[in-house]
Amino acid sequence: QVHVVESGGGLVQPGGSLRLSCAASGVIVSINAMGWYRQAPGKQRELVATITSGGSIAYGDPAKGRFTIGRDNAKNTAYLQMNSLKSEDTAVYYCNARGYGSVRFDSWGQGTQVTVSS
């Protein structure tokens, strides 16, 4: 099965930047889409950004203008560059890898904590 691991979370000050990484292993077919989602205590999980194998990108409203998603298909790795961070960005960030072709899968990492505080 596909295993997903996130890294790069931590404590940053408001206005700062952070870069998250997501590595997928056990992949023998193309990953159709990779994405980042986040969930704060007492809140629903929300979309941050997704990217397909063809490079099509979609951002959730909180990420627009501040966050950038990238992907290396050969390495089965996705990135999330977060700039101009706000306290409202504090959450656990989860990486997702999906296959919806001949081989279907929907894998999630365990999450990485991002805390924005002065």
Side-chain angles (χ1 to χ4, degrees), residues 33-89:
M34 300 186 73
W36 290 94
Y37 299 77
R38 71 185 189 186
Q39 187 167 23
K43 301 292 184 66
Q44 294 183 333
R45 180 177 60 184
E46 65 178 348
L47 167 71
V48 178
T50 60
I51 183 168
T52 69
S53 59
S56 181
I57 295 172
Y59 289 108
D61 287 339
K64 294 178 180 177
R66 299 188 299 126
F67 297 176
T68 302
I69 189 171
R71 174 175 176 172
D72 186 332
N73 290 337
K75 297 181 179 179
N76 291 320
T77 302
Y79 308 93
L80 183 68
Q81 179 66 46
M82 303 187 292
N83 299 322
S84 301
L85 284 163
K86 307 173 182 178
S87 60
E88 305 95 279
D89 296 318

Side-chain angles (χ1 to χ4, degrees), residues 12 22 70 75 85 102:
V12 296
C22 172
K75 297 181 179 179
L85 284 163
S102 58

Side-chain angles (χ1 to χ4, degrees), residues 4-43:
V4 177
V5 178
E6 307 96 335
S7 63
L11 174 65
V12 296
Q13 295 183 341
S17 298
L18 204 61
R19 183 176 177 87
L20 306 182
S21 297
C22 172
S25 61
V27 180
I28 59 175
V29 296
S30 176
I31 300 174
N32 293 113
M34 300 186 73
W36 290 94
Y37 299 77
R38 71 185 189 186
Q39 187 167 23
K43 301 292 184 66

